[in-house]
Amino acid sequence: MDGVENLFDGLRISSSGLAAERLRIDVITENIANARTTRTATGDPYRRKLVVFEPLLRKALAGRPAEPGGGLATPRVIEDFRTPFEAVQDPTHPHADASGRVEYPNVNTVVEMADLITALRSYEANLTAQENFVRMAERALELAR
């Protein structure tokens, strides 16, 4: 029975990776879509969002409840306060301040596209791993016949 549990652990790990990368893809696309949004509901420019991954093992070591089998904890989405907004001199812009300066989001579309490619490749790798676990289970069932 231990082998079956290990197989399901592998499925859980790759499944948590799929969910995490899917969230990362969604956040990156939101960042790209808002790359030129100079005003949000708070009155500030859109602030870039980041996804923070945390392995379940680290969660357990920190004394918090962890799920068995490893993988990733539910990722957190945070705002990027380290990267400053881009200031552009454009007195004709409707959101320009008294000196004619407009603050644009701290989103660099080139960086976002590179992150998107990385997230897509990671998603594909987790999907391939999950498909391999399923094939191993099918093969084990065939051998058991």
Side-chain angles (χ1 to χ4, degrees), residues 94-121:
H95 298 138
D97 62 13
S99 64
R101 201 177 109 227
V102 181
E103 285 189 325
Y104 282 92
N106 58 346
V107 176
N108 180 332
T109 53
V110 174
V111 170
E112 296 298 325
M113 289 303 295
D115 286 350
L116 181 60
I117 291 168
T118 303
L120 288 170
R121 296 295 175 257

Side-chain angles (χ1 to χ4, degrees), residues 12-143:
R12 275 191 289 273
I13 291 167
S14 62
S15 179
S16 71
L18 282 169
E21 292 301 340
R22 176 59 198 203
L23 175 63
R24 186 171 164 214
I25 291 166
D26 290 344
V27 168
I28 291 169
T29 56
E30 179 184 337
N31 287 342
I32 292 170
N34 286 291
R36 303 307 287 171
T37 303
T38 57
R39 288 289 177 268
T40 61
T42 64
D44 294 325
Y46 176 83
R47 188 172 294 279
R48 179 179 188 229
K49 294 180 181 166
L50 303 166
V51 177
V52 178
F53 297 137
E54 182 180 26
L56 285 173
L57 177 60
R58 183 176 302 152
K59 207 173 163 185
L61 292 175
R64 297 183 304 224
E67 300 166 27
L72 294 172
T74 304
R76 295 180 296 125
V77 178
I78 61 170
E79 291 185 339
D80 179 5
F81 286 97
R82 291 192 306 173
T83 309
F85 291 129
E86 178 187 359
V88 175
Q89 190 69 29
D90 184 3
T92 62
H93 193 282
H95 298 138
D97 62 13
S99 64
R101 201 177 109 227
V102 181
E103 285 189 325
Y104 282 92
N106 58 346
V107 176
N108 180 332
T109 53
V110 174
V111 170
E112 296 298 325
M113 289 303 295
D115 286 350
L116 181 60
I117 291 168
T118 303
L120 288 170
R121 296 295 175 257
S122 296
Y123 185 89
E124 290 171 0
N126 278 296
L127 187 59
T128 300
Q130 197 165 46
E131 289 169 350
N132 286 335
F133 286 122
V134 169
R135 277 198 290 279
M136 284 190 310
E138 288 170 348
R139 182 71 177 135
L141 288 173
E142 287 175 17
L143 291 173

